[in-house]
Amino acid sequence: MKYFAKTFLGTALLASSFACNEIPTSDFLVESTVPVVGELGALQLDVVASVKELTADVGRPNKGAGQFGGFTATFTGDGGSVCVILDPEGLETDLDPEDDGDSDLYVGKESDYTGTPGVTVGLFEGFYEDALGVIHKNDLNRCVVQYTDYFGRPGAHAGLGKVEYCVVSTDAGVVYYVVGKTFSVPNDDANLKVSVAIVETIDNGGEPGCPSITETTLTGDSSS
Amino acid sequence: MKRIPLLIFCLMVGTLNAGCDDKFDPLSFLSPEFDEGLNLVDVSGTVTLPAALGFSVDEYGTIITAAATETTETIYGALYIGFFSGTDDSNAQYPMPLTAPVSNDAFPYGGTTIGTFDAINPATGERDTELVCKYVSNQNFEADTDGNLVHNFDILQFPFYSGATLWAFLDVDTDDPENGTCSLSSGFRDPDDNTIYYGANFPDVLNKPQEYVSAGDVVTGFDDVIIMESLSDPLDITINCHIGVNC
């Protein structure tokens, strides 16, 4: 009898291990109806008063499986600075995970990007060999977002529905990618609208800065 | 009879060990010490503030002021020591750790801090909101026979590369929002008022020292940077370049 019980238990464990090879699906999460990764094409530089935005509609990535989601857009540097803006779906005054989402802004050179536009979302990184020949992974993201972190240092990403922006200095003729990395999607439809644009910088005490940016600067994310 | 399975188990483990290690020791799995072969070392040394700089310490061993700035409320804070790949000597006044492009990260191999920001009044042992980022605890400098202030340090569990450069600096005006090394908005939170923080080091002081070193700080001078060729090299570093004063 004991041997029967052990055999039964072993068979059950073996069967359960096969079952674990498949990614479980959820009964309560709404399925996205749009691709997880989007590609928007070229952004146009203008003053903020006549901003020309592009809007992505992206689905929920399977974070448990290590998948990243989001979109890419591009622009070509002119040797000056540009202000890059990203606004995910949701009003800052009415933040609700049911119908709001979160996307984080990154900007870098095309040559530093580890993702494939329209296929996978990656990072801006390279390898740095120091003076002693030691190799380090080097963060090549050039966008220091306006929010501050726990320590009060700039560069923290914002939360649900909040607009993010940063100033990026460019090299002339070099292609840059703007990446919106999906952090969360609205629960109600699992489709996240994210607007993105580049605008001309203003003089900010001798340094290039972004003009006044609010939740309503970009409207494609249905936030106004 | 009952011991036979245990014996078989021991032999199996011993055999597995033999597959991983040329020096077969069937009982090695019982040994409390196991060399994983990782390049991680511990080192010890001393850091010295020369008497000529006029530093002094209070009765608790914390650096409090300097003769050159006695009339000001200059705050001397934590002292930072790190191993780097090298220094950038293009600055005419003092050397700075080399940094990577874009990230501006110095990628220190290892480092340590002498002193902590916790706003504890040493006389009472209580936290004091007036001392947030203005007083450093856990410094224990002692004067040698020449009046130099000396402190021991340990740098633990870092990868050693021959030629690594030891560099140090003492932060001044630690609560300066521009380049002080103490964050006013972090650290221990008052249990009775969670809007009050008692300060803490920024986490990237050795990663981006160029953002923190400024006039009034004291750094290792060109002649005092230590290039460590082997683990037996002595690590007695002096920081004597008082930026804007004698440097």
Side-chain angles (χ1 to χ4, degrees):
Chain A
M1 188 61 189
K2 275 185 180 176
Y3 289 109
F4 176 75
K6 285 180 180 176
T7 307
F8 179 77
L9 181 64
T11 308
L13 284 171
L14 190 63
S16 65
S17 70
F18 281 116
C20 289
N21 286 337
E22 295 202 5
I23 298 169
T25 56
S26 172
D27 291 333
F28 60 88
L29 287 179
V30 176
E31 293 294 325
S32 302
T33 57
V34 292
V36 171
V37 180
E39 162 57 19
L40 297 180
L43 294 160
Q44 285 184 274
L45 182 65
D46 207 332
V47 294
V48 71
S50 54
V51 60
K52 295 177 177 60
E53 66 184 80
L54 297 175
T55 300
D57 204 356
V58 291
R60 176 192 289 117
N62 189 338
K63 288 186 179 180
Q67 184 185 35
F68 296 121
F71 69 86
T72 52
T74 65
F75 69 91
T76 302
D78 61 3
S81 296
V82 297
C83 174
V84 185
I85 313 166
L86 173 146
D87 192 358
E89 188 171 346
L91 277 173
E92 283 189 37
T93 53
D94 177 27
L95 298 176
D96 183 353
E98 275 304 304
D99 55 7
D100 298 334
D102 186 7
S103 180
D104 294 334
L105 175 63
Y106 299 85
V107 183
K109 289 184 176 180
E110 174 191 38
S111 55
D112 297 331
Y113 190 52
T114 61
T116 303
V119 181
T120 61
V121 168
L123 303 167
F124 296 101
E125 65 178 22
F127 293 95
Y128 165 66
E129 182 176 349
D130 70 20
L132 297 182
V134 181
I135 306 294
H136 307 271
K137 194 174 279 187
N138 196 20
D139 182 0
L140 299 176
N141 169 47
R142 290 155 198 269
C143 171
V144 180
V145 174
Q146 86 275 20
Y147 292 103
T148 54
D149 65 10
Y150 171 78
F151 292 93
R153 306 281 296 162
H157 291 288
L160 203 65
K162 290 194 174 181
V163 62
E164 296 186 4
Y165 55 86
C166 64
V167 172
V168 176
S169 60
T170 68
D171 294 332
V174 172
V175 174
Y176 289 80
Y177 281 169
V178 177
V179 176
K181 193 173 176 183
T182 304
F183 188 85
S184 68
V185 298
N187 288 337
D188 59 0
D189 63 0
N191 298 336
L192 175 67
K193 286 189 188 303
V194 192
S195 287
V196 62
I198 56 172
V199 297
E200 294 179 1
T201 55
I202 61 168
D203 179 61
N204 183 23
E207 297 286 327
C210 278
S212 176
I213 308 276
T214 69
E215 184 62 41
T216 56
T217 301
L218 306 184
T219 57
D221 61 302
S222 305
S223 62
S224 61
Chain B
M1 185 63 186
K2 282 183 178 177
R3 293 184 179 178
I4 291 176
L6 179 62
L7 184 61
I8 293 172
F9 173 74
C10 292
L11 285 172
M12 285 173 65
V13 175
T15 306
L16 287 173
N17 275 358
C20 303
D21 189 346
D22 292 339
K23 290 175 283 187
F24 173 58
D25 176 3
L27 296 179
S28 63
F29 69 100
L30 293 175
S31 170
E33 292 184 9
F34 178 64
D35 182 3
E36 293 181 89
L38 300 175
N39 177 22
L40 291 173
V41 299
D42 298 338
V43 297
S44 299
T46 63
V47 58
T48 300
L49 297 165
L53 289 179
F55 288 96
S56 58
V57 293
D58 64 13
E59 59 186 298
Y60 307 101
T62 295
I63 304 166
I64 50 172
T65 188
T69 55
E70 262 180 359
T71 56
T72 71
E73 292 184 357
T74 302
I75 305 154
Y76 286 87
L79 196 153
Y80 302 87
I81 308 168
F83 275 106
F84 301 90
S85 64
T87 53
D88 176 1
D89 296 346
S90 60
N91 183 316
Q93 287 188 297
Y94 50 87
M96 286 289 287
L98 291 167
T99 58
V102 184
S103 69
N104 297 317
D105 196 324
F107 292 110
Y109 301 136
T112 192
T113 308
I114 297 175
T116 52
F117 295 107
D118 48 20
I120 290 178
N121 184 327
T124 64
E126 300 290 326
R127 287 192 166 84
D128 183 347
T129 53
E130 295 294 317
L131 295 180
V132 177
C133 292
K134 292 179 186 293
Y135 189 81
V136 174
S137 305
N138 299 318
Q139 281 186 341
N140 194 23
F141 279 92
E142 291 184 355
D144 65 12
T145 52
D146 297 323
N148 304 313
L149 299 179
V150 183
H151 203 298
N152 295 325
F153 69 84
D154 298 313
I155 299 179
L156 306 176
Q157 296 294 286
F158 71 98
F160 171 70
Y161 301 103
S162 179
T165 298
L166 188 67
W167 178 90
F169 92 101
L170 173 68
D171 186 31
V172 176
D173 281 340
T174 52
D175 61 346
D176 183 342
E178 288 297 315
N179 45 39
T181 59
C182 182
S183 167
L184 294 159
S185 63
S186 55
F188 185 83
R189 270 176 116 165
D190 194 305
D192 297 324
D193 182 351
N194 65 10
T195 64
I196 297 175
Y197 291 86
Y198 286 96
N201 299 76
F202 285 110
D204 60 351
V205 173
L206 288 177
N207 288 88
K208 299 182 177 180
Q210 72 279 6
E211 294 185 8
Y212 297 98
V213 174
S214 60
D217 290 346
V218 191
V219 301
T220 312
F222 290 113
D223 296 334
D224 295 306
V225 164
I226 294 176
I227 297 175
M228 192 177 179
E229 300 295 348
S230 80
L231 286 170
S232 60
D233 289 356
L235 296 175
D236 301 317
I237 192 167
T238 300
I239 55 172
N240 56 4
C241 177
H242 198 173
I243 302 169
V245 178
N246 72 338
C247 173

